[in-house]
Each structure stands twice: as C-alpha cells, then as structure tokens.
Amino acid sequence: MRFLLITLLSSFLFTGLQWGNDLEKAKQTARDQHHYILLNFSGSDWCAPCIRLHRNIFESDIFEKYAKDQLVLVNADFPRLKKNQLPKEQQQKNDAMADKYNNGGAFPLTLLLDANGNVIKKWDGDVIVSPQDFVNQIKTATDAGKQ
C-alpha cells in the first residue's frame, strides 16, 4: 500500500512539461525536431503575473498537450529571494537572454522564436486569455511562418 501511494505521488510530481534553461541547446533541439521555441522570462518568487501565467496557461492540460510535440520550452527565471538564487553560470545565461530579448526588463515576457532565435510573436505582461486561446495564438503565428 505504501509503495502504491509513493508511486502515485511520484507520477503526479513528475508529470508536466520540461522547461529548459539553455537557449543555445533549445535552438539545436528546435532545428533537429522542426519545432518553435517558447521563451518565457519570469520572476518565479516575486512576480504575481508570472506565477499566474505558469499556473493558468503553462500548467494547463491544453497547453501541455500542444507544447509536448510542438515546442521547445525555455524559462529564463529571475528570482529575488536569496534562497532561490540561481547558480552563477545560469544567471549569466539568463542575463544574456535578457540582454538580447528583454532589455526593457518586462515580466512576464513570453516570446515565440523560430529555431534560429528570431522573434515570431511576443506576449508582454499578463496574459489574460484561456489556455486554448493562447495555443491558438501560437498556432496562428507558426502557421503564418510556414507560408
């Protein structure tokens, strides 16, 4: 019984999408798999709209089902609490992504990129749409890029 409970809890904890944190690796994966990249700038421990975006959109079944086979996900997090600080190497990578794509310091900022890192679509600030509408926006942008 205890083993079953642990197994069930593990399946809930490890479901969901994998968000990477290395844009160069994401570009290579996107090229190899013919996918687009969704790059999200967040403040995971201080930015209420960022937290809402992850909870309401990125953790939704609709988004997860679509993204699993269509997107390479990258999160550039900028936590403020000391206990959540990133390793120096990761902070440098996030700073480099921000220098290129988010020099205004917007949070949240979500970008749809092609495999070369070109911006296809931008969501600046709080995303107040349903998960299905968000996925539809991605589909529209990617379909336009294929023409």
Side-chain angles (χ1 to χ4, degrees):
M1 180 67 172
R2 186 174 178 191
F3 175 75
L4 178 61
L5 182 59
I6 291 170
T7 303
L8 286 173
L9 286 174
S10 298
S11 67
F12 286 115
L13 293 174
F14 296 109
T15 59
L17 299 171
Q18 291 290 4
W19 286 79
N21 55 19
D22 186 318
L23 185 58
E24 293 309 311
K25 286 182 183 177
K27 287 180 191 177
Q28 187 59 54
T29 301
R31 281 190 288 273
D32 293 345
Q33 298 178 358
H34 307 289
H35 287 357
Y36 287 84
I37 300 165
L38 194 71
L39 171 60
N40 178 252
F41 290 90
S42 67
S44 64
D45 64 5
W46 61 270
C47 172
C50 301
I51 295 165
R52 267 194 310 274
L53 176 62
H54 276 266
R55 183 178 54 234
N56 296 340
I57 302 289
F58 298 151
E59 294 176 10
S60 72
D61 291 339
I62 291 167
F63 177 79
E64 287 186 359
K65 183 177 179 184
Y66 174 77
K68 181 179 70 165
D69 297 319
Q70 303 296 324
L71 300 172
V72 179
L73 304 172
V74 178
N75 187 40
D77 192 24
F78 291 84
R80 289 187 179 164
L81 296 177
K82 188 172 186 167
K83 68 179 183 174
N84 297 330
Q85 292 305 297
L86 303 172
K88 186 177 180 179
E89 180 182 332
Q90 185 59 52
Q91 188 62 57
Q92 290 172 340
K93 287 180 183 181
N94 290 3
D95 290 343
M97 286 187 274
D99 287 345
K100 182 168 184 173
Y101 294 105
N102 191 11
N103 56 13
F107 289 93
L109 177 69
T110 305
L111 303 170
L112 182 64
L113 309 173
D114 67 16
N116 295 315
N118 300 310
V119 177
I120 306 298
K121 181 159 180 61
K122 177 179 182 179
W123 294 267
D124 191 349
D126 213 350
V127 176
I128 306 175
V129 297
S130 71
Q132 186 61 62
D133 287 342
F134 188 78
V135 167
N136 289 344
Q137 290 176 19
I138 295 171
K139 288 179 181 179
T140 299
T142 58
D143 288 347
K146 293 176 184 174
Q147 296 176 357

